[in-house]
Amino acid sequence: MFSKILVANRGEIALRITRACKEMGVRTVAIYSEADAESPHVHLADEAICIGKAPSAQSYLNIPAIISAAEITDVDAIHPGYGFLAENAHFAEICGSCQIKFIGPSPQAIRVMGDKMAAREAVRKCGVPIVAGGQEAIKDKEEALRVAKKIKYPVIIKAAAGGGGRGMRVCHNEVRLVSALMTAQHEAESAFGNSAVYIEKYLEKPKHIEFQILADSYGHITHLYERDCTIQRRHQKLLEEAPSPSVDWKLRKKMGEVAIKAAKAVNYVNAGTIEFLLDTDGKFYFIEMNTRVQVEHGITELVTGIDIVKEQIRIAAGEKLSIRKQDKIPLKGHAMECRINAEDPANDFTPCPGKIERYNAPGGPGVRLDSHVYAGYTVSPHYDSMIGKLMTFGRNRGEAIGIMQRALEEFIIEPIKTTVPIHKEILKSPIFRRAQMTTDFIPRILGEWSDKNADESKIAALKK
Ligand code: ADP
């Protein structure tokens, strides 16, 4: 086992990883930007090094500064968390060349799966169903029109290097396709430094179902069942649950086998996630693989009892999976996660950074809160707006929902705006309760809700 790990991240995931290390008797090094000097992950770690100014490019994405911190503190390994450098093959390679173990898959697997077109091709060759679409980057509008005509509208333009729901454009006709192509290419270039885009069939009311994979270096590979991440805003997840209320055991078995096939396509080692879209007719299609720990990993931990972060560390340290037989992986109860973001849901989820003056965290039976904020904490405009993950666990879905409703009622985060009110609305919805939601759920319920809430905030502003 490693004796010291540097956690190359911030916020709740840096805390999560540091906690796992503590429990495993592994010493930790935190890195932080000038904006995060007072963050809990800095205080919890055994050592902490400031690596630069607040903007990510000067701190959490600054590879020379991070590697220097790792060398000065003499760590054996780096855990990248999610976001920042977690899916940067170059960073993984540099770690390797400095004799520091990167806690994640090989640079080669990151590279293939990080390019969505290459990923599609790699898994397709192994018999994994993919959404219909072009196999190559679109060169010009004639090619775009040709591909779209073949697969039929609606289609979606996607950035090969895309992530975080960015760089996607849905097109219902030729006019829209031609106008969206250039914008999508420019957006891809500025967001990811790679202008390559491709076109695939846009599925109209799918569900997002993903499988958690664990693989060690001895050829053992298992899945920890699925998560349902259908509740999204702007193609980004907002609420997740495990297991999916839309997947029965027959489908679970089939999708799980296909997910393992997809991971094997790149000789995957460590934790990863295979994402599928499940169509209205019960057919499912691979959309991408995330080669890191997911934000929503905690709900899988709640229903399986397996600590995914500890498994990642053990795998990287050359140990075998703690459970190596698929049919021995437990699945018990139901877990749900609400992402608590510093955003205004009534105003198109605009980020609302600022100081938290009043804070009360929910607790009690069935509640897990992974968060790094407290009363007096200032949410920085420099980073992602997620300030916590509220998870609940019940014997069944109804119980998990009930506990979540109670926990959301207890949650006080003031005066900044958060996603707490929209989560309450989601949980009340009969469509959600009947598990009939599809990925267009939020826009469908949001219109009415935000009109009402925007009006209320306008009235409150007038009264002031
Ligand atoms: P990112 O890497 O940016 O997260 P994904 O490829 O994982 O992008 O897709 C994110 C979400 O976008 C999906 O969960 C789904 O809601 C939507 N999406 C992506 N591809 C399609 C598609 N072909 N048809 C319908 N929705 C899609």
Side-chain angles (χ1 to χ4, degrees), residues 116 131-132 155-156 158 161-168 170 192 198 200-208 229-230 232 234-237 275-277 287-288 290 292 439:
K116 290 188 185 183
V131 184
V155 299
I156 181 167
K158 294 172 87 167
R166 288 174 302 163
M168 282 188 261
V170 180
F192 314 110
Y198 65 103
E200 67 183 28
K201 175 85 186 156
Y202 182 68
L203 307 181
E204 279 185 280
K205 294 188 182 291
K207 289 173 185 276
H208 175 119
C229 313
T230 301
Q232 306 178 347
R234 280 194 243 113
H235 304 303
Q236 272 183 296
K237 299 158 190 166
E275 297 191 336
F276 296 107
L277 291 182
I287 47 169
E288 67 161 346
N290 288 322
R292 53 167 163 85
T439 53

Side-chain angles (χ1 to χ4, degrees), residues 63 67 85 87-97 107 110-111:
I63 298 179
I67 296 290
L85 297 169
E87 287 170 290
N88 185 317
H90 176 60
F91 179 62
E93 258 159 14
I94 291 179
C95 289
S97 61
I110 298 176
R111 199 159 271 134

Side-chain angles (χ1 to χ4, degrees), residues 174-457:
E174 293 186 346
V175 178
R176 167 81 179 140
L177 180 68
V178 171
S179 71
L181 182 63
M182 287 260 280
T183 352
Q185 284 169 327
H186 280 132
E187 197 176 299
E189 178 63 44
S190 64
F192 314 110
N194 175 359
S195 65
V197 298
Y198 65 103
I199 292 177
E200 67 183 28
K201 175 85 186 156
Y202 182 68
L203 307 181
E204 279 185 280
K205 294 188 182 291
K207 289 173 185 276
H208 175 119
I209 309 290
E210 59 182 34
F211 274 73
Q212 175 69 54
I213 298 290
L214 281 182
D216 65 20
S217 325
Y218 304 90
H220 305 113
I221 179 160
T222 55
H223 67 77
L224 307 190
Y225 311 107
E226 80 284 357
R227 293 180 286 257
D228 191 320
C229 313
T230 301
I231 306 287
Q232 306 178 347
R233 57 114 174 71
R234 280 194 243 113
H235 304 303
Q236 272 183 296
K237 299 158 190 166
L238 194 60
L239 180 153
E240 301 99 343
E241 55 186 310
S244 168
S246 308
V247 174
D248 60 18
W249 273 100
K250 194 170 162 218
L251 184 58
R252 179 168 297 128
K253 187 165 185 292
K254 195 164 152 203
M255 289 181 86
E257 282 165 6
V258 172
I260 285 181
K261 224 192 247 186
K264 280 187 175 168
V266 288
N267 299 319
Y268 200 80
V269 172
N270 214 286
T273 296
I274 304 289
E275 297 191 336
F276 296 107
L277 291 182
L278 177 64
D279 211 347
T280 34
D281 58 6
K283 291 208 181 84
F284 61 91
Y285 307 91
F286 168 91
I287 47 169
E288 67 161 346
M289 178 173 200
N290 288 322
T291 55
R292 53 167 163 85
V293 65
Q294 297 279 94
V295 171
E296 60 274 21
H297 72 278
I299 52 171
T300 298
E301 295 181 329
L302 290 170
V303 292
T304 61
I306 296 173
D307 186 312
I308 294 170
V309 175
K310 286 185 187 165
E311 288 291 320
Q312 285 193 290
I313 296 170
R314 286 195 203 104
I315 293 167
E319 294 182 19
K320 291 181 181 159
L321 292 185
S322 58
I323 303 180
R324 296 182 279 277
K325 286 216 160 59
Q326 185 60 49
D327 57 6
K328 294 281 182 285
I329 309 274
L331 178 63
K332 191 171 159 239
H334 199 95
M336 200 157 275
E337 170 177 281
C338 288
R339 293 194 188 194
I340 311 300
N341 300 342
E343 293 172 357
D344 182 2
N347 190 14
D348 202 21
F349 293 93
T350 317
C352 289
K355 189 168 177 184
I356 299 172
E357 305 282 359
R358 255 187 97 216
Y359 183 77
N360 181 63
V367 176
R368 168 174 164 183
L369 177 64
D370 282 17
S371 173
H372 57 289
V373 308
Y374 49 85
Y377 180 91
T378 299
V379 181
S380 167
H382 290 286
Y383 313 114
D384 191 81
S385 56
M386 199 183 72
I387 55 171
K389 306 182 311 197
L390 178 58
M391 292 169 256
T392 60
F393 176 73
R395 284 167 300 180
N396 51 48
R397 187 169 189 258
E399 195 171 72
I401 293 176
I403 298 172
M404 185 62 85
Q405 285 180 307
R406 187 269 294 164
L408 287 167
E409 284 304 326
E410 282 177 35
F411 219 158
I412 299 172
I413 312 167
E414 289 174 358
I416 60 168
K417 295 235 188 291
T418 71
T419 46
V420 167
I422 192 71
H423 281 302
K424 290 181 183 166
E425 199 65 20
I426 295 168
L427 299 183
K428 271 198 306 207
S429 153
I431 299 176
F432 178 76
R433 293 210 158 231
R434 290 196 298 263
Q436 289 168 334
M437 61 281 184
T438 46
T439 53
D440 61 345
F441 175 83
I442 290 289
R444 276 168 63 197
I445 66 157
L446 197 63
E448 214 177 287
W449 181 84
S450 58
D451 282 353
K452 191 171 125 249
N453 284 270
D455 285 344
E456 277 169 11
S457 61

